[in-house]
Amino acid sequence: MEISYLRISVTDKCNLKCFYCRPDNQEFIPHEEILRYEEIARLVKAMTKYGLRKVRITGGEPLVRPQIENLVKLIREIPEIENIGMTTNAITLKHHAEKLKEAGLDRLNISIDSLKPELFYQITKGRLEDVLEGIRISKKLGFDPIKVNAVIIKGLNEDEALDFVKFAIDYGVEVRFIEMMPIGQGYIKWDEEMVKPLDQVREKIEEKYGMLTPSTSIGSGAARVYEIPKLGVKVGFITPISNPFCDGCSKLRLTAEGKIKLCLRTDEELSVKEVLRYGTDEDLDEFLRKVLIAKEISNLKIQKSNYAFSDCVRVMTSIGG
């Protein structure tokens, strides 16, 4: 099989504290254990032999890592990489957007779980206006499309679906609704009662705007994307609980300390750090061949388990989404 997409976590630190993502007692990875930018770029280059064409930089919050634009530059210099994205909470994006654009970043995904400033603060402990300012500046710089990710939590923000559609119109962004996942078991509060099936969110949108039309979007990945014809606005639904989308997955995740994570649904990992720091190119290539085999086996196991989340103890801030 091939691997077409790699999500790269550059830090487990974050300047927000979303309750479903980051536990109160989280211990951060020591700096010396985190991969250097040159090591990450070396891995990306080696993976292009096996189909890698798209990468996404994540965290924690990637913008808390100093000179993150330098990693973008290193990856941009790899001819085979066609698209570089970043997922950010955008709290400090207004200070970084221009440098990221100049370095060669193509796309932005921005996490906003509520458009109500008070509820946004309740969920994240951050200021919504900081995020909105980051979006406005990024739009002016030419980032397009900008996608807004909203984790929908029953009893909390499930009534904001139509507000997010209006936000998409007003700000010229695409919206992705996401079901809350049981990641970080034992550290993060989660139960099925918190999951809002997104077919209900879709129905609410269709009640107001009519039937959604299947569509596509650059780098849509796991989202099922639709267009609201009368508005020309795109919305996506990521449904890991109610309607899994795993078949044929060719995505891997790289954690900040150098573990290759095969899937969000399992804590199975392979450590690449020692190979990157001390191994030859031949050693790295041999390691990647083992990863491809492990990924294929993992995909089959997940299908046979009916797409269950198995022992997902790692918290989301240490995975990168």
Side-chain angles (χ1 to χ4, degrees):
M1 68 177 299
E2 289 191 341
I3 295 297
S4 62
Y5 183 19
L6 179 67
R7 294 181 68 102
I8 301 166
S9 173
V10 295
T11 181
D12 60 338
K13 295 179 180 178
C14 186
N15 49 6
L16 292 183
K17 203 167 187 179
C18 304
F19 70 87
Y20 61 82
C21 185
R22 178 181 164 191
D24 291 332
N25 58 347
Q26 182 179 4
E27 294 184 7
F28 298 113
I29 303 166
H31 179 72
E32 63 272 13
E33 295 299 322
I34 291 178
L35 290 182
R36 298 184 286 270
Y37 291 156
E38 292 79 9
E39 292 168 338
I40 294 171
R42 182 187 177 199
L43 177 63
V44 170
K45 176 62 178 176
M47 290 182 70
T48 61
K49 175 181 176 180
Y50 297 99
L52 184 63
R53 296 295 179 266
K54 180 172 65 173
V55 301
R56 174 163 295 280
I57 299 168
T58 71
E61 168 49 42
L63 297 183
V64 304
R65 181 144 177 197
Q67 288 86 49
I68 188 63
E69 68 274 5
N70 290 346
L71 176 60
V72 177
K73 290 177 183 177
L74 288 173
I75 296 175
R76 185 81 285 166
E77 292 170 357
I78 301 172
E80 296 88 347
I81 297 300
E82 299 168 357
N83 202 284
I84 307 173
M86 177 179 287
T87 295
T88 171
N89 60 36
I91 289 291
T92 63
L93 181 59
K94 60 186 176 184
H95 303 302
H96 297 273
E98 187 170 2
K99 288 182 180 179
L100 291 170
K101 188 69 175 176
E102 291 173 353
L105 188 71
D106 295 302
R107 295 182 296 108
L108 286 165
N109 280 36
I110 296 173
S111 302
I112 306 178
D113 293 331
S114 177
L115 296 170
K116 302 173 182 176
E118 298 82 4
L119 182 54
F120 181 86
Y121 180 82
Q122 178 184 333
I123 296 172
T124 70
K125 300 299 184 286
R127 276 183 10 116
L128 178 61
E129 179 54 37
D130 291 333
V131 180
L132 301 183
E133 181 65 11
I135 293 176
R136 288 190 286 264
I137 289 173
S138 298
K139 287 292 292 185
K140 288 179 181 178
L141 289 169
F143 282 105
D144 187 60
I146 293 175
K147 299 176 185 177
V148 169
N149 298 333
V151 176
I152 301 299
I153 303 167
K154 188 183 291 186
L156 194 64
N157 61 351
E158 61 183 299
D159 62 339
E160 294 193 61
L162 297 181
D163 295 335
F164 273 105
V165 172
K166 185 176 185 304
F167 180 81
I169 299 168
D170 293 344
Y171 277 76
V173 299
E174 300 181 15
V175 174
R176 299 288 180 271
F177 298 106
I178 305 171
E179 291 175 344
M180 185 177 173
M181 292 175 277
I183 305 295
Q185 296 173 15
Y187 298 95
I188 300 297
K189 178 185 175 184
W190 184 92
D191 62 59
E192 285 194 67
E193 293 302 312
M194 303 174 77
V195 178
K196 177 74 172 180
L198 292 186
D199 58 349
Q200 298 175 19
V201 173
R202 177 180 169 180
E203 288 170 5
K204 188 171 185 179
I205 295 172
E206 289 184 326
E207 284 176 9
K208 182 171 179 65
Y209 295 110
M211 292 294 292
L212 301 180
T213 303
S215 185
T216 59
S217 180
I218 298 172
S220 58
R224 294 181 173 95
V225 182
Y226 298 85
E227 185 172 347
I228 304 175
K230 65 175 64 177
L231 301 177
V233 167
K234 291 182 180 181
V235 295
F237 303 92
I238 299 177
T239 56
I241 307 298
S242 66
N243 191 5
F245 42 78
C246 301
D247 293 356
C249 175
S250 61
K251 177 192 296 185
L252 290 173
R253 290 170 172 81
L254 175 67
T255 68
E257 80 278 28
K259 303 287 183 65
I260 290 186
K261 188 172 177 63
L262 302 175
C263 178
L264 274 179
R265 295 176 183 272
T266 172
D267 274 349
E268 288 185 76
E269 300 171 339
L270 295 88
S271 180
V272 69
K273 180 164 57 182
E274 296 299 312
V275 180
L276 286 174
R277 291 194 172 172
Y278 310 112
T280 65
D281 289 346
E282 290 74 20
D283 294 333
L284 181 56
D285 190 66
E286 181 181 353
F287 173 86
L288 290 177
R289 290 197 297 270
K290 292 177 181 177
V291 169
L292 294 182
I293 294 170
K295 173 64 174 174
E296 195 159 8
I297 293 171
S298 175
N299 283 359
L300 291 172
K301 286 169 62 177
I302 288 165
Q303 291 175 34
K304 288 180 179 179
S305 72
N306 198 26
Y307 309 104
F309 282 81
S310 304
D311 301 320
C312 300
V313 176
R314 257 190 184 271
V315 295
M316 192 66 85
T317 49
S318 73
I319 297 171

